[in-house]
Amino acid sequence: MKEYVRISDLKNHIGEEVTLAGWCYNKRSSRKLHFINVRDGSGICQVVAFIPSLNEEQQQLCDTLNQEASLIVKGKVKKDDRQIGGYELEMTDIKVLSNTPDYPISPKEHGTAFLMEHRHLWLRSRRQHAILRIRHHLVAAIRNFFNQNGFINVDAPILTGNAAEGTSTLFETDYFDQKAYLSQSGQLYMEAAAMAHGKVYCFGPTFRAEKSKTRRHLTEFWMVEPEIAFMELDSCMELAEQFVEYIFQTVLKECREELEFLGRDISKLENIKAPFPRVSYEEALDLLEKFKNENLNSEDEEMRRLAEDVLKNGRGDDLGAADETVIGMTYDKPVFIHRYPAHVKAFYMKDDPENPGKVLCFDMIAPEGYGEVIGASEREADYDVLVGKIKAHNLSLDAFSWYLDLRKYGSVPHSGFGLGVERAITWICGLTHVRETIPFARMMDKIWP
Ligand code: 4AD
Ligand code: MG
């Protein structure tokens, strides 16, 4: 294999002649010089070609070089702090593998719809490159956290026979002579695995037929779901806040350059340290009521709009996007909202013995208006109560007979949560829409490319 030096490794080759393999990110020329920014996936380096020293072929290649042409350049490495990446290459030779006379994405501004149609090429832009690097480091931090804390990674199936999170967002598919669904959550399988290993997590794609177009919803997204035997709700909250602090602080350490490039306010991220405030559902309603009263006549149009949208579902119902935004704005840290009414949550959540009608659950709401990032609960561990809940949700007892077995054979208190990875990346990167956080977004109106 030919050895090319990677741009991220130029610091080890100062003064040497090296060969880089990459693509032309952009080019500008003066009478005597061509400045070619080359990117190779690990970074960007300015290559300087002194025109009078080039032979005819080299001159022609440099003159006609287009954005995103693939190339191999040879040159001497110079340290230069003023340049992108901190190094410069004085070119001695160039080969062009493939020129690109009509690359569709130019450095000028394009609309997001156009860029999403060209996602396969848009991935090469600096901004998208930074976001996917942050995603990579976030995923690594997630795995590290669980691996270092005694969890076993267990993979959940993607084709399933039951609805875990309600029947309205199920993708159904033919499965020979039966129906199958794409998994909405690996949780139920993790409950089985937790009874075998104590502390487990799954990490994979999950699917929801979300029929609304919002900036927070994908139809295919990645979720990490820990599940822990003998853990009750309060300990689960502590685990979730330690986890979020760890993954955010790790990404902040490892991706500072990318976050700065995205223009992220780093101080907001430095603040993501446990403990996080805990607010009950009832307290959250009071807080929302107060916000509504104070802002319905606000001069600030955004606040007035929010006030109009707050509590739209009414007291006693699920919280909506505006409610989460307002609660997230009230604190400068993530907030736990706990103990929601049973009827707005999934069937498997345990009743709160101290609050009739409420269940032992929490959502973690991100600050700055990024909304819900974690959904969690203690699970109903009693066989008869769980049978009642399955029936009350009009679900089939047959489909859940294996799940009920877990309550028949050595049932114990247990809890777990699910973090939506794309929501977390949207928040960490400070983006307005979740679609840029996943390489190829799937949404109601998007299955291509
Ligand atoms: O709150 P949810 O529905 O919880 C569960 O699925 C539980 N079974 C998790 C568990 O306890 N093991 O989803 C968890 C998280 C949400 O907080 C959100 O971050 C993300 O998954 N999420 C989505 N992300 C992007 N697009 C969607 N359509 C999402 N739906 C949920
Ligand atoms: Mg939820």
Side-chain angles (χ1 to χ4, degrees):
M1 196 177 92
K2 266 208 204 113
E3 275 297 324
Y4 299 112
V5 168
R6 296 208 91 199
I7 291 170
S8 58
D9 203 29
L10 286 177
K11 56 182 176 298
N12 298 318
H13 296 274
I14 298 168
E16 291 171 26
E17 180 166 78
V18 301
T19 307
L20 301 181
W23 296 264
C24 171
Y25 192 64
N26 54 41
K27 183 187 94 178
R28 68 194 165 83
S29 305
S30 68
R31 212 159 47 82
K32 285 201 165 160
L33 298 167
H34 290 297
F35 300 95
I36 307 165
N37 276 335
V38 171
R39 54 167 203 89
D40 73 347
S42 79
I44 298 181
C45 175
Q46 174 164 286
V47 175
V48 183
F50 184 56
I51 297 172
S53 75
L54 302 178
N55 65 31
E56 212 170 293
E57 191 199 347
Q58 292 167 338
Q59 276 194 24
Q60 213 254 336
L61 288 177
C62 288
D63 281 344
T64 56
L65 191 69
N66 289 311
Q67 185 197 347
E68 287 306 318
S70 48
L71 46 78
I72 292 172
V73 285
K74 200 185 251 185
K76 198 171 147 195
V77 183
K78 240 178 63 182
K79 179 143 183 60
D80 186 342
D81 290 328
R82 293 163 310 172
Q83 299 314 333
I84 192 167
Y87 300 89
E88 188 174 85
L89 200 76
E90 289 172 351
M91 194 182 95
T92 51
D93 199 8
I94 179 164
K95 282 200 177 60
V96 175
L97 305 186
S98 150
N99 206 0
T100 45
D102 51 3
Y103 188 69
I105 305 180
S106 60
K108 75 169 186 314
E109 290 277 308
H110 293 282
T112 312
F114 177 87
L115 291 168
M116 285 301 285
E117 284 297 296
H118 294 83
R119 182 65 173 166
H120 49 298
L121 303 175
W122 190 27
L123 290 179
R124 305 176 186 194
S125 81
R126 251 185 113 183
R127 191 182 144 82
Q128 300 309 312
H129 186 264
I131 295 169
L132 287 196
R133 277 182 74 93
I134 291 168
R135 180 183 176 107
H136 163 79
H137 283 280
L138 183 79
V139 167
I142 287 170
R143 290 199 178 274
N144 278 343
F145 178 86
F146 290 118
N147 294 344
Q148 286 165 14
N149 283 283
F151 285 74
I152 294 289
N153 179 205
V154 177
D155 299 315
I158 287 175
L159 288 168
T160 72
N162 355 48
E165 297 296 325
T167 47
S168 65
T169 59
L170 275 180
F171 278 114
E172 191 180 287
T173 180
D174 287 331
Y175 191 74
F176 307 106
D177 51 356
Q178 305 177 44
K179 291 282 174 220
Y181 310 99
L182 296 183
S183 177
Q184 299 169 306
S185 157
Q187 176 197 321
L188 307 188
Y189 299 98
M190 288 309 100
E191 291 183 54
M195 301 306 139
H197 292 275
K199 293 162 79 169
V200 295
Y201 73 98
C202 64
F203 193 175
T206 45
F207 305 85
R208 309 256 170 118
E210 302 283 359
K211 286 179 201 82
S212 57
K213 297 177 195 164
T214 82
R215 58 197 173 83
R216 291 179 188 167
H217 289 92
L218 296 164
T219 52
E220 176 178 315
F221 64 98
W222 284 66
M223 183 154 50
V224 57
E225 297 182 87
E227 190 72 32
I228 310 96
F230 300 102
M231 183 172 268
E232 294 177 4
L233 192 74
D234 286 347
S235 304
C236 191
M237 258 188 242
E238 284 168 26
L239 177 73
E241 69 189 350
Q242 285 164 16
F243 166 68
V244 168
E245 171 180 328
Y246 175 85
I247 59 175
F248 270 65
Q249 295 311 315
T250 304
V251 168
L252 190 48
K253 213 163 51 212
E254 283 166 8
C255 301
R256 192 168 270 268
E257 215 174 284
E258 286 84 358
L259 291 165
E260 278 168 0
F261 178 76
L262 294 174
R264 186 66 169 109
D265 180 347
I266 303 274
S267 68
K268 294 256 173 22
L269 300 177
E270 281 167 342
N271 211 22
I272 313 296
K273 299 239 169 88
F276 302 158
R278 288 143 164 78
V279 175
S280 71
Y281 169 84
E282 290 295 333
E283 289 165 339
L285 292 183
D286 292 344
L287 198 146
L288 292 169
E289 196 92 58
K290 185 157 166 274
F291 177 88
K292 196 177 184 95
N293 295 334
E294 285 172 2
N295 289 280
L296 264 182
N297 300 311
S298 170
E299 311 259 286
D300 182 336
E301 193 184 323
E302 201 182 324
M303 288 299 160
R304 205 174 57 242
R305 284 241 182 95
L306 262 177
E308 284 163 8
D309 284 345
V310 152
L311 291 173
K312 264 228 162 112
N313 295 336
R315 284 187 81 103
D317 284 329
D318 201 2
L319 300 182
D323 303 323
E324 288 174 359
T325 300
V326 167
I327 290 163
M329 279 174 7
T330 312
Y331 301 89
D332 52 6
K333 284 192 182 192
V335 190
F336 291 117
I337 305 181
H338 56 87
R339 296 177 169 80
Y340 283 68
H343 72 271
V344 308
K345 290 292 184 188
F347 74 94
Y348 50 72
M349 295 186 181
K350 183 177 162 71
D351 289 327
D352 181 358
E354 281 159 30
N355 286 295
K358 301 288 185 345
V359 281
L360 294 174
C361 69
F362 65 83
D363 282 357
M364 185 191 286
I365 310 297
E368 303 176 73
Y370 289 104
E372 178 199 327
V373 285
I374 283 182
S377 71
E378 187 170 333
R379 321 306 186 187
E380 182 53 67
D382 182 87
Y383 182 90
D384 293 324
V385 178
L386 188 57
V387 166
K389 283 175 177 279
I390 291 172
K391 284 187 185 154
H393 278 79
N394 284 323
L395 296 166
S396 138
L397 278 176
D398 275 349
F400 288 102
S401 63
W402 69 268
Y403 184 65
L404 283 163
D405 270 358
L406 305 175
R407 276 68 180 171
K408 251 197 228 163
Y409 305 115
S411 188
V412 303
H414 61 289
S415 305
F417 65 80
L419 168 90
V421 168
E422 289 75 16
R423 298 258 181 104
I425 302 167
T426 309
W427 167 26
I428 240 183
C429 294
L431 308 177
T432 49
H433 200 295
V434 72
R435 67 189 155 209
E436 284 178 58
T437 64
I438 183 160
F440 295 96
R442 296 291 174 251
M443 293 174 285
M444 193 182 174
D445 54 355
K446 187 126 217 77
I447 186 94
W448 195 90

